[in-house]
Amino acid sequence: MPNLEPHFSALASAYDVFLSDVWGVVHNGEVSFPDACDALMRVRAMGKVVILITNAPRPGEAVIRQIDHLHVPHEAYDGIVSSGDVTRDVIAHRKGQTICHIGPERDHSIFKDLHVEFAPLESADYIVCSGLFDDEVEKPEDYRARLEIALKRKLFMVCGNPDLVVERGSRLIYCAGSIADLYATMGGEVLYAGKPYRPIYDMALKKAEAALGRKVDMTRVMAIGDSVRTDLKGARAFGIDMLFIAAGIHAEEFGGRDTPQRDAMKTVFAAAGEAPTAVMKHLTW
């Protein structure tokens, strides 16, 4: 179990590329974190590359519009890769098949220019799940009856956001991963498009190498994130170091947003079977 690092600057020189999570590290869905944005801008000023890597179920350019609204400066990153980008790639390879979309209207940008045809659950060829229709009030269990129909038809599901929950201000909101996990436990076939699975990391690394102008030594790549299930496990499976932000979605398990307890963190990481390279409360230079 690593000690709490007070400053990101102590880690910066050891890496050339940072693959940073967005929600929980750079913003909380309502406001951006100025210290985190400042830290990423400073590391880029050193000649390092920052690629934002997010399980948002929308194309990267749509995520940029969202974080623009939250005042995340463009100077904080070189590029962005989303699970929406990976989902679009899957859809493009299933040309001519009809889709049942489970998710809110705001995620429809995921289908932009793909010329897809939508169909109800009873006749669609497969499902794209980007979230809950109304994540303010619904729970995954509300979808069981729909998933039973899908299971009877042996429908394949693409999960456009493998996160189970995400912070929205001070609340935790259910994401597409919670529905996909329920479907998988019922026996359904699911492809998870984002972290912790390899395709999104491959796409991010390719973008980082284009920005850097050369191949990257994997020992000089560090992921930054706040989720054990997606960020930590994804980074370790991809073979890269990982900086864990304790004040994110696991804050309460760790003993509080501003008072993470070493023993509590050690217990959570031990249960996951993975430990990060370093831990910080918040991303701060």
Side-chain angles (χ1 to χ4, degrees):
M1 170 67 206
N3 291 319
L4 271 175
E5 286 281 351
H7 299 292
F8 184 49
S9 55
L11 302 169
S13 61
Y15 301 93
D16 298 324
V17 171
F18 295 90
L19 306 181
S20 178
D21 183 33
V22 182
W23 205 313
V25 176
V26 178
H27 70 74
N28 68 359
E30 294 182 345
V31 295
S32 60
F33 303 142
D35 285 347
C37 294
D38 173 69
L40 296 179
M41 286 191 288
R42 286 176 182 269
V43 83
R44 286 191 69 234
M46 294 172 63
K48 314 293 186 174
V49 166
V50 175
I51 302 296
L52 300 182
I53 177 170
T54 172
N55 274 354
R58 293 174 292 285
E61 60 264 26
V63 179
I64 289 174
R65 288 194 294 274
Q66 179 197 23
I67 63 177
D68 281 350
H69 181 69
L70 297 174
H71 308 294
V72 176
H74 287 205
E75 294 79 11
Y77 56 94
D78 292 89
I80 187 164
V81 173
S82 71
S83 58
D85 294 327
V86 180
T87 301
R88 284 173 61 81
D89 193 54
V90 174
I91 294 169
H93 282 88
R94 297 177 78 92
K95 195 173 181 180
Q97 296 186 3
T98 57
I99 294 171
C100 172
H101 177 223
I102 296 176
E105 183 72 28
R106 65 176 180 268
D107 293 341
H108 263 243
S109 58
I110 203 171
F111 305 110
K112 186 181 177 185
D113 299 328
L114 289 177
H115 309 294
V116 300
E117 184 180 335
F118 297 100
L121 198 56
E122 291 76 11
S123 61
D125 291 316
Y126 69 106
I127 299 166
V128 171
C129 179
S130 65
L132 289 72
F133 290 114
D134 187 348
D135 56 22
E136 291 286 338
V137 298
E138 291 181 322
K139 295 180 174 61
E141 193 61 33
D142 297 334
Y143 288 77
R144 184 175 289 274
R146 291 184 183 93
L147 297 180
E148 284 173 351
I149 295 170
L151 193 62
K152 281 181 183 175
R153 299 193 58 231
K154 297 182 178 177
L155 293 186
F156 166 74
M157 176 187 286
V158 183
C159 175
N161 176 358
D163 288 350
L164 296 179
V165 294
V166 73
E167 287 184 299
R168 183 174 292 156
S170 60
R171 296 166 298 141
L172 291 179
I173 302 294
Y174 285 109
C175 299
S178 61
I179 294 177
D181 276 11
L182 176 57
Y183 189 50
T185 60
M186 291 168 66
E189 182 187 359
V190 179
L191 183 150
Y192 295 88
K195 300 175 289 182
Y197 302 95
R198 189 178 183 99
I200 196 168
Y201 290 94
D202 284 333
M203 202 176 277
L205 191 64
K206 189 179 290 185
K207 190 160 281 199
E209 289 180 336
L212 204 58
R214 58 178 169 82
K215 291 285 285 182
V216 179
D217 177 351
M218 293 288 279
T219 66
R220 294 186 63 83
V221 179
M222 174 174 262
I224 305 170
D226 71 323
S227 166
V228 167
R229 179 178 181 266
T230 56
D231 298 306
L232 177 57
K233 292 203 168 185
R236 288 316 200 187
F238 194 56
I240 58 176
D241 286 353
M242 199 269 173
L243 168 61
F244 199 94
I245 303 302
I249 62 170
H250 294 282
E252 295 309 310
E253 292 173 76
F254 291 161
R257 199 169 301 280
D258 295 309
T259 55
Q261 303 299 308
R262 182 181 172 83
D263 287 348
M265 290 191 287
K266 190 175 181 180
T267 298
V268 172
F269 296 144
E274 302 285 358
T277 311
V279 180
M280 294 184 70
K281 279 196 293 187
H282 308 272
L283 187 62
T284 308
W285 186 251

